[in-house]
Amino acid sequence: MKRKHRSYYKLKIKGVPSDQKKTSIQPMKYILLCLLFCGYFFKAQVLNKTDSNRVKPQDTLVIDSGKKDSLQIFKPTIYDYTFKTQFSEKKIFDTAFTPDKTFIFSQYNNRDNFGKIQFGNTGSGFQDLVFEVNTEQNLSLLPTRKSSFILGINDIKYYDVKTPTTSFIYHNAYSSGATLQTTYTQNVGKNFNFAVEYMGLRSLGFYQYSLASSNNVIFSGHYLSENKKYEAYAHYIHQNINNQENGGVSDIDLFLNGSSNFNNRLNLPVNLTTSDSRFAYRRYYFSQQFRPFASEKFPFKIRHTIFHQGNKYYYTQNSLEPYYFNSQSDLIDYPYSSKKYSENLSNTVSVLFDKENFKLDAGVRYQIIKLGIGDALPAYLNIPQELSENRVGAVGNLLVKLWDKVEVNSNLEISSGKAFGSYIRSQNLLKFEPIKDYFVNAKVNFQSASPSFNLLMNPSVYRKYNFYLENPKNETTTQIGGDVNLKWFQSKLSANYFRIDNYTYLDANALPRQSNASLNISQIGGEATFSYGKFHLNPKVLFQSAINNKNLLPMPNFIGRANLFYQTKAFKKAAEIQAGVKVYYFTKFASREYFPILNEFILLNSNSYDIGGQPIADVYFNMKVKRMFFFIEAQHLNTTFMKNKSFTAPNYPIYDFRVNIGIVWYLFS
């Protein structure tokens, strides 16, 4: 039977001759009674089976095909509500109450932040405890602390929904404020979808001058022609991340001595009182592809992608901060506030060979890239106001699938220019299933790129914080690693090795340096879930070490997390609950310091001290009712009976005990 799209109720009624109306009354009553019974039966048997872990993969569910009568009813299932990124497979809206949700939706950026430690306020960023390559910093300006919520091109979601769909994600803030992220998406016809997403955040924080506020707006659209020859993706994103910078607690002994005068953290003096930082991130993106040949014998496509991205970083001061200077000779003739920016206009044309199990595309890319500062610095400093270049390069992608057991995915990008040198990035991933339900992922990645633009130049009214890293060597990173997913206990084992040549860092004076010797890092980790009835234990551990040059990138040798919880149906199976305790821990290490002017981390100085070695324990109660999730946590509960000695970085304590509330709600109209 040919399906009738976009119609939930189809009723065909034939006329009845007047002399047969009386004789047809009883059969009509019988049919209506049958329909009511069938409707009740299917409501009990089908409508509660819309979660991804309970419904077989299929499109709109046909409740009544119309064979017995003329009534035909279509009821969407969860498989009618999907999303994807441009180069990923489709995924359904995940409404299952899995244990990982408690790590995701208890965080303001809605990500599992294992391997990071949060600053003492929502929206104030993290310090990375584990080394990883952030590709969003390539050939662009992106301060490390501002990168926690930045969405790159491959993070933008495109939707396909049968009915208008809305989602809400809410988090309460520290002291005052809230975070709200909402998405509205709708299909217009069968071939076009648009989505509007917004995130607003405001949190006062527990310490002086630690206000955080952010907003994020995304417009996205996806179109696929009826004959599937033409496809287009487009989005616009604008993100603002604003933070008051207090420079940390000025006398850490006041924090540690336990005096009741400072139980109210607003009484603790801080280093900075008039400074703010702001990062603005804007991108226009459009990608289209066309298949010129109708025959399947010629599965070629032509793709054209163009985007413009602008990043701006502001460090503003209402007055000079004594924390940064001792005398007038430490200052230069420059505005109190400073600005840096980068721009990237990219235009790419590719040819694709697109078969189900073999995809290959290759193309050429032309870019115009700029890096600059707002006001020109005095000429004697020899720091340019702007660097710009035109770059020419090539891109390529290969995807091979064999026997539904092996998948090879390789990506390559090469470009070069005079101002920022050559750029090479190669990502290679091998997935295979040697035994049923056992999966292996192996990867070899290589990147050679200019250091982060935030480390190339900086303007400041403070003389010693002006710098220009002229003719830097490419920072080269090689990664070899992978993971093994085992059926036993849903366990996963992983290992990674990094070699970084010309590692670029900020020394104790906040000036950029490049290492002459390579930095080698090894990581080994694992995760599993052990269950006994309705009780579950989910531990996750990571061991890591810098083999040499440890002082350039100090890190904890061990990071661990354990989640012990109870999960069951409740309220006559109308709801599902999780209740448990989570503990997060990392060993002591000589942490780098946070430097507000750059929003980066610098090497420790003589006044620094070790952080870590203090557990962070949360007790939580989570509940799911239909499409609504509630997450309630007593965070850092152990500080109610022991002294808080936990820090994100020297002079930056993390939050004391607080109640964290998160709500996630999906509305499929």
Side-chain angles (χ1 to χ4, degrees):
M1 181 186 70
K2 184 176 181 181
R3 181 150 52 116
K4 301 177 181 180
H5 291 283
R6 305 294 173 192
S7 180
Y8 297 107
Y9 298 95
K10 298 289 185 178
L11 183 61
K12 183 178 181 182
I13 303 177
K14 296 182 178 180
V16 181
S18 59
D19 60 343
Q20 296 180 11
K21 287 182 180 179
K22 291 183 180 180
T23 60
S24 65
I25 291 176
Q26 293 302 323
M28 286 295 292
K29 285 184 177 180
Y30 176 76
I31 292 172
L32 289 173
L33 286 172
C34 288
L35 289 174
L36 290 172
F37 174 77
C38 290
Y40 176 81
F41 176 80
F42 280 107
K43 181 177 181 181
Q45 300 298 320
V46 176
L47 300 187
N48 66 337
K49 293 185 177 181
T50 55
D51 286 345
S52 58
N53 60 336
R54 287 181 282 178
V55 180
K56 294 181 180 180
Q58 60 186 24
D59 201 354
T60 301
L61 182 65
V62 180
I63 293 181
D64 191 329
S65 64
K67 292 182 179 180
K68 294 183 179 180
D69 53 55
S70 57
L71 183 64
Q72 185 172 333
I73 302 173
F74 294 94
K75 180 67 179 180
T77 71
I78 194 64
Y79 288 90
D80 291 313
Y81 299 89
T82 64
F83 65 90
K84 58 172 288 188
T85 61
Q86 183 176 355
F87 300 108
S88 73
E89 300 293 331
K90 280 188 175 183
K91 298 179 181 179
I92 62 172
F93 278 72
D94 188 358
T95 59
F97 203 31
T98 52
D100 63 320
K101 298 293 194 302
T102 193
F103 299 115
I104 297 172
F105 294 122
S106 60
Q107 303 293 313
Y108 78 92
N109 60 348
N110 302 314
R111 301 173 185 173
D112 184 346
N113 293 309
F114 179 84
K116 301 176 184 291
I117 183 70
Q118 183 178 316
F119 279 83
N121 191 14
T122 295
S124 57
F126 301 80
Q127 180 181 185
D128 291 326
L129 304 177
V130 177
F131 175 79
E132 58 183 2
V133 179
N134 186 353
T135 58
E136 290 303 312
Q137 290 181 324
N138 292 335
L139 299 176
S140 69
L141 174 67
L142 177 57
T144 298
R145 192 191 180 194
K146 300 290 190 182
S147 64
S148 303
F149 203 73
I150 292 299
L151 299 176
I153 290 173
N154 293 325
D155 296 320
I156 302 299
K157 296 177 181 178
Y158 302 94
Y159 300 88
D160 183 12
V161 293
K162 283 292 189 295
T163 59
T165 300
T166 307
S167 67
F168 297 95
I169 303 175
Y170 167 88
H171 303 281
N172 67 323
Y174 293 18
S175 179
S176 176
T179 301
L180 177 63
Q181 181 177 346
T182 181
T183 301
Y184 177 83
T185 181
Q186 177 180 345
N187 277 29
V188 179
K190 296 186 298 181
N191 305 106
F192 175 70
N193 173 275
F194 73 91
V196 181
E197 303 182 54
Y198 175 78
M199 188 281 291
L201 178 153
R202 183 178 175 84
S203 180
L204 185 61
F206 293 142
Y207 295 85
Q208 295 184 57
Y209 306 106
S210 60
L211 173 67
S213 61
S214 302
N215 59 75
N216 178 352
V217 178
I218 304 174
F219 298 95
S220 64
H222 175 227
Y223 173 77
L224 179 63
S225 65
E226 191 74 33
N227 58 12
K228 297 184 179 181
K229 283 188 174 184
Y230 180 81
E231 187 173 18
Y233 297 87
H235 72 254
Y236 166 78
I237 180 171
H238 189 191
Q239 296 182 266
N240 278 311
I241 303 172
N242 309 310
N243 297 99
Q244 285 184 336
E245 301 289 351
N246 64 16
V249 176
S250 60
D251 188 347
I252 206 64
D253 290 334
L254 297 178
F255 171 78
L256 294 174
N257 68 13
S259 171
S260 59
N261 294 331
F262 301 104
N263 287 342
N264 182 349
R265 300 307 192 187
L266 290 174
N267 293 331
L268 285 167
V270 293
N271 289 313
L272 305 175
T273 58
T274 68
S275 297
D276 299 84
S277 65
R278 180 166 69 91
F279 182 69
Y281 181 93
R282 181 180 298 176
R283 182 173 59 247
Y284 302 86
Y285 180 88
F286 180 69
S287 180
Q288 58 183 337
Q289 60 187 38
F290 174 68
R291 179 162 60 93
F293 306 109
S295 173
E296 292 297 327
K297 295 181 180 179
F298 303 99
F300 290 97
K301 296 180 181 178
I302 299 173
R303 177 188 296 146
H304 172 239
T305 300
I306 185 170
F307 70 85
H308 178 270
Q309 180 171 302
N311 298 10
K312 297 179 182 179
Y313 174 64
Y314 303 87
Y315 186 77
T316 60
Q317 303 172 108
N318 294 329
S319 62
L320 293 174
E321 298 277 13
Y323 179 68
Y324 289 132
F325 74 103
N326 296 316
S327 65
Q328 288 296 317
S329 62
D330 295 331
L331 305 174
I332 65 171
D333 183 16
Y334 197 73
Y336 292 173
S337 300
S338 61
K339 170 190 174 183
K340 291 195 288 189
Y341 64 88
S342 71
E343 293 184 13
N344 185 349
L345 175 61
S346 177
N347 199 358
T348 307
V349 177
S350 303
V351 177
L352 295 76
F353 182 86
D354 191 358
K355 296 285 286 185
E356 182 178 358
N357 294 322
F358 182 86
K359 302 178 187 295
L360 174 66
D361 71 80
V364 294
R365 174 168 293 172
Y366 176 76
Q367 293 174 289
I368 302 174
I369 295 182
K370 297 180 181 180
L371 168 64
I373 60 178
D375 293 288
L377 285 161
Y380 65 85
L381 291 175
N382 294 320
I383 297 178
Q385 187 172 5
E386 183 178 272
L387 299 173
S388 63
E389 68 176 14
N390 297 346
R391 301 177 67 89
V392 178
V395 295
N397 301 278
L398 172 66
L399 176 64
V400 180
K401 296 181 180 180
L402 301 173
W403 314 296
D404 293 327
K405 298 286 186 180
V406 180
E407 180 178 318
V408 178
N409 195 341
S410 295
N411 303 303
L412 176 66
E413 180 179 350
I414 302 173
S415 66
S416 63
K418 292 182 179 180
F420 307 114
S422 62
Y423 173 76
I424 303 173
R425 178 161 178 81
S426 174
Q427 295 177 293
N428 305 279
L429 177 64
L430 170 64
K431 299 180 181 180
F432 60 96
E433 185 182 5
I435 306 173
K436 183 175 174 57
D437 297 326
Y438 295 82
F439 302 92
V440 177
N441 301 314
K443 56 187 173 185
V444 177
N445 298 331
F446 176 81
Q447 175 176 291
S448 178
S450 165
S452 169
F453 280 5
N454 200 29
L455 306 188
L456 293 187
M457 65 167 63
N458 189 68
S460 177
V461 65
Y462 307 107
R463 183 183 301 276
K464 60 184 177 180
Y465 300 133
N466 291 279
F467 61 76
Y468 172 43
L469 186 60
E470 191 173 4
N471 299 320
K473 297 178 182 178
N474 269 15
E475 189 175 70
T476 302
T477 306
T478 303
Q479 178 186 8
I480 302 173
D483 56 72
V484 180
N485 295 266
L486 307 175
K487 185 177 181 180
W488 299 323
F489 307 113
Q490 304 174 44
S491 54
K492 177 180 178 180
L493 303 174
S494 63
N496 284 289
Y497 168 78
F498 296 90
R499 177 189 171 96
I500 312 166
D501 293 306
N502 304 317
Y503 175 64
T504 309
Y505 61 96
L506 293 167
D507 65 16
N509 296 316
L511 296 176
R513 298 283 184 262
Q514 289 195 295
S515 172
N516 293 323
S518 63
L519 176 62
N520 299 274
I521 301 170
S522 61
Q523 299 171 349
I524 299 175
E527 182 178 13
T529 301
F530 306 96
S531 301
Y532 181 78
K534 296 179 181 180
F535 290 90
H536 312 273
L537 174 63
N538 171 233
K540 184 173 184 178
V541 298
L542 178 72
F543 298 88
Q544 63 178 352
S545 176
I547 300 172
N548 59 350
N549 283 335
K550 294 182 179 181
N551 60 311
L552 299 184
L553 185 59
M555 62 185 69
N557 292 324
F558 171 79
I559 303 170
R561 183 177 70 188
N563 180 22
L564 176 63
F565 65 99
Y566 173 82
Q567 183 166 352
T568 187
K569 297 287 187 179
F571 307 111
K572 297 182 179 180
K573 297 185 178 182
E576 190 172 1
I577 62 173
Q578 292 175 346
V581 57
K582 301 182 292 188
V583 180
Y584 190 46
Y585 177 85
F586 57 92
T587 53
K588 278 191 174 183
F589 74 107
S591 169
R592 295 175 297 171
E593 295 186 352
Y594 171 66
F595 186 63
I597 287 180
L598 292 173
N599 258 249
E600 300 282 356
F601 294 88
I602 65 176
L603 293 188
L604 62 164
N605 59 40
S606 58
N607 298 322
S608 295
Y609 48 87
D610 292 354
I611 69 170
Q614 183 92 351
I616 301 171
D618 306 334
V619 175
Y620 65 91
F621 177 84
N622 303 332
M623 182 170 63
K624 175 190 175 186
V625 180
K626 294 184 178 179
R627 299 289 184 274
M628 183 177 285
F629 300 80
F630 300 90
F631 300 90
I632 305 174
E633 288 187 346
Q635 290 189 334
H636 214 171
L637 184 65
N638 48 309
T639 58
T640 59
F641 55 85
M642 60 187 296
K643 190 178 298 183
N644 184 3
K645 296 181 180 180
S646 298
F647 292 84
T648 303
N651 299 321
Y652 285 88
I654 72 167
Y655 49 85
D656 298 307
F657 166 75
R658 67 181 291 263
V659 176
N660 182 43
I661 298 175
I663 300 174
V664 180
W665 192 10
Y666 297 105
L667 297 173
F668 305 124
S669 302

